[in-house]
Amino acid sequence: MEFLYSFSKSRLSWLILFAFIIFFEGCALFFQHVMKLDPCVMCVYERVAMMGIAIAALVGMIAPQNAIIRWAGLLGWGYSAYQGLVLSTQHVGYQFPEFPWSASCALEVNYPAWAPLDQWVPWMFAASGDCGKIVWEFMNLTMPQWLEVIFSANLAALAVIVIAQFWALRKAKA
């Protein structure tokens, strides 16, 4: 636990998290622009959740030795990963609906007026695909099922890092 606590206080740990997210976003853009798989509304919302993790990693990278900055990064990471898991689970529901007539996602994205990402960065955040259509599989898992794995792994890693933070506090008081 002490190693994880020390590691969370290094810029390298936050850089690794950032690099993983850039890799996954790069994969998404490869699927879209090279393989010509149109992203759906849920796909671009899941991208926003990934970008939330990237922003949290950048926050953590600012001053990981500072507990307030580090906790801001951890909280942002947790919030974004949780939202990503919720979105990807909902997306899987659209692909494998219990009641097919009731499962459909929005036809267009609904970003807040103060952040129209689909207008600012349409090549990344505009949606034109069908949420219920399975266009790619790897090892019998669809893309949103892989996102469930990725976001769950983020939450598991975060849980271990958070436990290490409290472990270090407990040990410091002893």
Side-chain angles (χ1 to χ4, degrees), residues 31-115:
F31 290 136
Q32 178 180 353
H33 296 291
V34 177
M35 295 179 66
K36 304 296 184 195
L37 303 177
D38 292 332
C40 68
V41 169
M42 295 303 291
C43 295
V44 296
Y45 289 162
E46 291 154 354
R47 287 181 187 181
V48 171
M50 281 282 186
M51 293 306 290
I53 297 173
I55 291 167
L58 290 173
V59 168
M61 238 187 292
I62 292 170
Q65 295 284 331
N66 181 305
I68 293 170
I69 299 292
R70 188 172 59 255
W71 276 102
L74 292 170
L75 290 171
W77 180 14
Y79 177 79
S80 296
Y82 175 76
Q83 291 301 319
L85 181 58
V86 168
L87 289 165
S88 57
T89 300
Q90 185 178 2
H91 193 171
V92 169
Y94 293 144
Q95 289 187 336
F96 302 100
E98 185 177 341
F99 304 106
W101 60 87
S102 66
S104 65
C105 69
L107 297 176
E108 55 187 54
V109 291
N110 186 18
Y111 294 117
W114 54 268

Side-chain angles (χ1 to χ4, degrees), residues 4-169:
L4 290 174
Y5 175 68
S6 296
F7 189 59
S8 74
K9 292 171 67 174
S10 74
R11 282 197 170 94
L12 178 62
S13 64
W14 295 96
L15 180 63
I16 290 170
L17 176 61
F18 184 75
F20 270 109
I21 299 308
I22 295 304
F23 170 77
F24 292 130
E25 290 290 1
C27 289
L29 293 173
F30 177 83
F31 290 136
Q32 178 180 353
H33 296 291
V34 177
M35 295 179 66
K36 304 296 184 195
L37 303 177
D38 292 332
C40 68
V41 169
M42 295 303 291
C43 295
V44 296
Y45 289 162
E46 291 154 354
R47 287 181 187 181
V48 171
M50 281 282 186
M51 293 306 290
I53 297 173
I55 291 167
L58 290 173
V59 168
M61 238 187 292
I62 292 170
Q65 295 284 331
N66 181 305
I68 293 170
I69 299 292
R70 188 172 59 255
W71 276 102
L74 292 170
L75 290 171
W77 180 14
Y79 177 79
S80 296
Y82 175 76
Q83 291 301 319
L85 181 58
V86 168
L87 289 165
S88 57
T89 300
Q90 185 178 2
H91 193 171
V92 169
Y94 293 144
Q95 289 187 336
F96 302 100
E98 185 177 341
F99 304 106
W101 60 87
S102 66
S104 65
C105 69
L107 297 176
E108 55 187 54
V109 291
N110 186 18
Y111 294 117
W114 54 268
L117 298 176
D118 58 329
Q119 294 170 22
W120 293 346
V121 194
W123 54 269
M124 186 166 188
F125 295 114
S128 57
D130 178 357
C131 295
K133 188 174 179 185
I134 297 172
V135 295
W136 179 88
E137 285 185 59
F138 179 66
M139 295 174 52
N140 292 325
L141 294 178
T142 66
M143 205 171 299
Q145 288 174 320
W146 276 109
L147 286 170
E148 283 182 311
V149 171
I150 291 164
F151 287 121
S152 294
N154 267 271
L155 289 170
L158 174 68
V160 172
I161 297 295
V162 167
I163 290 169
Q165 304 302 302
F166 288 112
W167 183 270
L169 285 175

